[in-house]
Amino acid sequence: MITAATSFGIEEALEKLGVQEVNYGTSTGSNWMPGEETIASYSPVDGKLIGKVTTTTKDEYEQMMKTALEAFKSWRVMPAPQRGEIVRQFGEELRRLKEPLGKLVSYEMGKSYQEGLGEVQEMIDICDFAVGLSRQLHGFTMHSERPGHRMYEQYHPLGVVGIISAFNFPVAVWSWNTALAWICGDVCVWKPSEKAPLCGIACQKIAAKVFADNNLPEGISCLINGDYKVGEYMTTDKRVPLISATGSTRMGKIVAKTVGERLGKSLLELGGNNAIIVTPDADIKMTVIGAVFGAVGTCGQRCTSTRRLIIHESVYDKVKDAVVAAYGQLRIGNPLDENNHVGPLIDKDAVAMYQDALKRVVEEGGNLVVEGGVLEGEGYESGCYVKPAIAEADNTYEIVQHETFAPILYLLKYSGDVENAIDIQNGVVQGLSSAIMTNNLREAERFLSHAGSDCGIANVNIGTSGAEIGGAFGGEKETGGGRESGSDAWKIYMRRQTNTINYTTELPLAQGIKFDL
């Protein structure tokens, strides 16, 4: 019997999702392979064992790849709208299982239940987006310089798409990739985070049912499990033309180098060091809501979490006092209890990094205005619950330049005009998400201009955290430059081809070149 908590319906949720005490971790769909070693998944909520997952062997990986490559041959020639119908059915299954999957996400990862449900809703939303996209994989037609010729561009499936996801969004980011890749005619191999492997098992079982119900071949949706060594099976494999990897900048640099050496393609979603600029014309109430949720949501473990609050000196004390007062109202505890705002960090290693960051900011000259600390006692037995902290600091501090995946918010003061705040905001190596709080149109437009925010996401009067699937998601600089989800992000999952058709009886050459025989 799975030793999960019974108080919030976890065992019932696991049963509905088909998650067992021990789960095979390698799958081509309905076919599951036994593996050898196991990964144990303990909940950061209460420290209890949820279940175990077997890791993928090299032989199992080769068997899985053979199946995936064979499935690609038939999946790629199915008309895209028909592939869209399969993704629509997958979205319907997610709707049916939204509650249990949301609970598993919350219990295995530690985010609030509402955030867990929101993550599954993102999966549903990207399926809806992909279904419409299945009839809009447009190419381009252009005029040829040669008479009697027609030129156009079209897009073809890449083949096998390898997906490496992170623990903080254990299901949504996979779906961003796989829903679009499936629509494009690709097959997918997914390595979930070893910190949240049961979420991967649940999703694969949902997908496998849809493919089996439609009599589609094994291998369109594949799952592997293990540590970085299993991920290397894909990153070094020339049969995998695209690797989509989400995680730390350190990890992304390794993936980019490895994939680049074989001239493969990488889609990288890496670290963030996101800031909100607060100008004298900001709405303070809106600022507090955006900053606090951005800083403490998912216990600060979002790549879009708000790390820095850059406040004009004229409103600095007012904003600081309002944010500190809001932190005093935060409730920390079991994330499945909807009365709580903040759940645990993912594990004790994350707690240690949080403690080290607080120590370092003080050593560099910072001032803790809301002190942190590890919570102990009843309800905090896992040792993963910490207090969200606020520190007055300077952007030049080494620790401020670093992304700490924990609920630590740095308050930074600026003077003068908004250009000075933008310089501070851009003065880090990461470039994912950014925001400005202002009712001044000129400041807002300056922030969004060519000389404004250098991030992939730039918002006005909303926070840095969260994104709608309709827009392309991703960042610049050491965030990796990748784009997922909406807009034209689908193009990364396809190869581009230029076609020229000659419908005459002659063969003129381009640029007027003569070649007479």
Side-chain angles (χ1 to χ4, degrees), residues 264-330:
K265 298 168 66 176
S266 297
L267 194 170
L268 301 174
E269 297 290 354
L270 310 176
N273 196 345
N274 316 294
I276 298 176
I277 294 172
V278 186
T279 79
D281 289 315
D283 182 312
I284 302 301
K285 182 179 179 181
M286 290 175 61
T287 298
V288 171
I289 294 171
V292 174
F293 176 73
V296 308
T298 322
C299 202
Q301 296 172 113
R302 292 181 174 217
C303 52
T304 56
S305 290
T306 305
R307 311 287 178 200
R308 299 173 295 147
L309 202 58
I310 304 169
I311 311 166
H312 191 270
E313 60 183 359
S314 66
V315 293
Y316 181 85
D317 289 337
K318 184 177 182 181
V319 173
K320 180 181 76 171
D321 291 346
V323 173
V324 169
Y327 268 53
Q329 302 174 48
L330 294 174

Side-chain angles (χ1 to χ4, degrees), residues 158 240-244 259-260 262-267 491-495:
L158 279 176
V240 184
L242 172 66
I243 297 291
S244 176
V259 176
R262 61 176 176 85
L263 297 182
K265 298 168 66 176
S266 297
L267 194 170
K491 292 179 180 179
I492 190 68
Y493 305 98
M494 305 195 83
R495 58 182 177 88

Side-chain angles (χ1 to χ4, degrees), residues 83-202:
R83 297 194 295 260
E85 168 58 19
I86 303 303
V87 174
R88 186 196 67 78
Q89 293 178 34
F90 178 60
E92 289 302 307
E93 279 296 291
L94 291 172
R95 284 182 170 90
R96 185 176 69 84
L97 294 168
K98 179 179 178 179
E99 180 179 329
L101 185 55
K103 283 186 176 179
L104 175 58
V105 168
S106 178
Y107 189 62
E108 187 172 35
M109 185 269 146
K111 65 176 59 177
S112 74
Y113 179 44
Q114 284 302 313
E115 288 184 84
L117 292 175
E119 185 167 347
V120 180
Q121 186 61 49
E122 282 192 38
M123 302 176 76
I124 295 167
D125 291 345
I126 197 64
C127 286
D128 290 348
F129 180 89
V131 172
L133 181 65
S134 68
R135 296 179 182 272
Q136 300 180 74
L137 302 176
H138 302 310
F140 301 95
T141 299
M142 61 219 69
H143 292 283
S144 171
E145 66 183 46
R146 290 170 285 190
H149 286 60
R150 181 167 68 89
M151 292 179 65
Y152 68 96
E153 292 180 350
Q154 60 178 332
Y155 290 85
H156 295 301
L158 279 176
V160 178
V161 171
I163 303 165
I164 300 172
S165 62
F167 73 86
N168 60 329
F169 281 85
V171 297
V173 173
W174 166 71
S175 71
W176 288 1
N177 285 275
T178 203
L180 298 190
W182 283 341
I183 288 296
C184 293
D186 300 314
V187 299
C188 296
V189 178
W190 177 27
K191 192 196 91 64
S193 169
E194 56 267 41
K195 295 184 179 183
L198 296 175
C199 286
I201 298 294

